[in-house]
Amino acid sequence: MIPKSHPRYESLRQRELLVEGYKAGATALEGLIAFGRGEAFDYLLGEKTPDAAVEAVRAAAAMLLAAENPVVSVNGNTAVLCPEELVKLARAVEGKLEINLFYRTEKRVKAIEGILKGHGAEKVYGVKADAEIEGLDSRRRLVDREGIYSADVVFVALEDGDRTEALIKAGKKVIAVDLNPLSRTAQTASITIVDNVIRAVPLLLAAAEELRAMDREALNRIHRSFDNPSNLRKSLSEIIHGLRSMASH
Ligand code: ATP
């Protein structure tokens, strides 16, 4: 148990969730390493949601609500960091939840399905992966025909650049959560929320609940007026500004 008074309590709590996730067979070892890359960027953000991410969250909520067939993609890291919020997000946008893994094994799929169902999910897609995304090799290409394969908007977090690109090439809009504004995923996605997934998903859920009553026209106006490259530049500027002010102290 980490005492709440520990100055790095929140970061250590997240590590503990991932270690438990690994022991439970849900999180891959590689997922722990990917998390470490994210943590370094979170440190640079002062472990706070940047203003740029708040704008991206609003556009993302509008895009998910306006979609015909939105899918919330879950992997071994997000399943242990924010399972309840992911289940609620899929429900709020009337979308599907799909397990989609970089390192897919049946054991991990089952473990993640158990976590999601334990947090209230009724149907979980991706348990059977009966379709393929073109342009990817090995098991990374496997998706659910009724889920990601036929989705128009896919929400992903801690994604890999190749797969983001393949989803875009397949004609889908991709909403990514990625702490690194320079990653290929961040640069390729339709909307990138530069924030820790543990903070971003609750914000996205709240925004979806707030915008839910809007008609499709109004939702489309919100997400169409969002410019991802310019928002990424804002996130980078916030990091640079934070570093400058630390350097001048
Ligand atoms: P890319 O292929 O997109 O350039 P990458 O190879 O740098 O990505 P991966 O190891 O494939 O990175 O994926 C990890 C990504 O997820 C990194 O960009 C990292 O910053 C991000 N990440 C890790 N933990 C979190 C988190 N908790 N919240 C948001 N993003 C995270």
Side-chain angles (χ1 to χ4, degrees):
M1 270 298 275
I2 309 152
K4 279 201 166 163
S5 56
H6 193 290
R8 303 218 55 77
Y9 170 77
E10 186 47 37
S11 155
L12 294 176
R13 185 182 76 86
Q14 290 171 35
R15 285 187 184 179
E16 207 164 74
L17 286 173
L18 288 171
V19 170
E20 289 308 316
Y22 175 73
K23 288 185 193 155
T27 309
L29 259 183
E30 292 82 354
L32 307 188
I33 299 170
F35 181 78
R37 171 131 62 204
E39 268 187 323
F41 281 94
D42 209 10
Y43 203 99
L44 298 178
L45 288 172
E47 291 165 348
K48 290 195 308 279
T49 300
D51 292 344
V54 176
E55 282 172 39
V57 160
R58 187 173 157 81
M63 186 181 268
L64 282 166
L65 287 165
E68 295 286 344
N69 188 12
V71 172
V72 173
S73 178
V74 182
N75 63 26
N77 282 43
T78 57
V80 298
L81 286 171
C82 47
E84 191 180 332
E85 290 82 1
L86 287 168
V87 172
K88 287 185 175 162
L89 176 66
R91 199 171 293 143
V93 301
E94 294 179 27
K96 293 171 179 164
L97 266 182
E98 174 162 345
I99 301 169
N100 190 246
L101 305 178
F102 197 105
Y103 300 99
R104 184 184 171 95
T105 65
E106 294 317 306
K107 188 170 160 257
R108 286 186 63 219
V109 170
K110 284 280 157 215
I112 296 170
E113 185 189 23
I115 293 174
L116 295 173
K117 290 207 161 156
H119 285 88
E122 278 156 28
K123 168 109 182 102
V124 177
Y125 290 80
V127 176
K128 64 167 176 48
D130 55 357
E132 296 179 4
I133 304 175
E134 280 198 30
L136 290 173
D137 45 17
S138 73
R139 303 181 71 71
R140 298 158 58 205
R141 68 181 190 274
L142 300 172
V143 290
D144 195 315
R145 186 165 294 279
E146 292 171 62
I148 290 179
Y149 187 78
S150 43
D152 54 345
V153 176
V154 187
F155 170 87
V156 297
L158 286 96
E159 191 51 88
D160 144 71
D162 287 358
R163 207 157 48 177
T164 308
E165 208 171 296
L167 289 171
I168 296 271
K169 275 202 183 131
K172 301 173 195 314
K173 295 204 171 87
V174 176
I175 298 167
V177 180
D178 195 326
L179 276 160
N180 177 5
L182 302 169
S183 78
R184 287 174 311 140
T185 295
Q187 303 278 335
T188 313
S190 319
I191 298 178
T192 307
I193 302 167
V194 178
D195 196 12
N196 193 327
V197 71
I198 215 162
R199 295 188 299 266
V201 176
L203 289 175
L204 189 53
L205 174 61
E209 279 165 355
E210 190 197 318
L211 301 184
R212 214 173 163 166
M214 280 189 176
D215 60 44
R216 189 164 274 161
E217 275 295 295
L219 292 167
N220 281 335
R221 268 198 303 277
I222 294 178
H223 74 79
R224 285 182 189 147
S225 65
F226 179 82
D227 179 37
N228 206 46
S230 132
N231 190 268
L232 285 171
R233 283 195 293 276
K234 270 192 205 167
S235 301
L236 259 184
S237 300
E238 287 187 53
I239 291 176
I240 294 167
H241 184 77
L243 285 175
R244 280 222 176 94
S245 68
M246 279 187 261
S248 63
H249 277 136

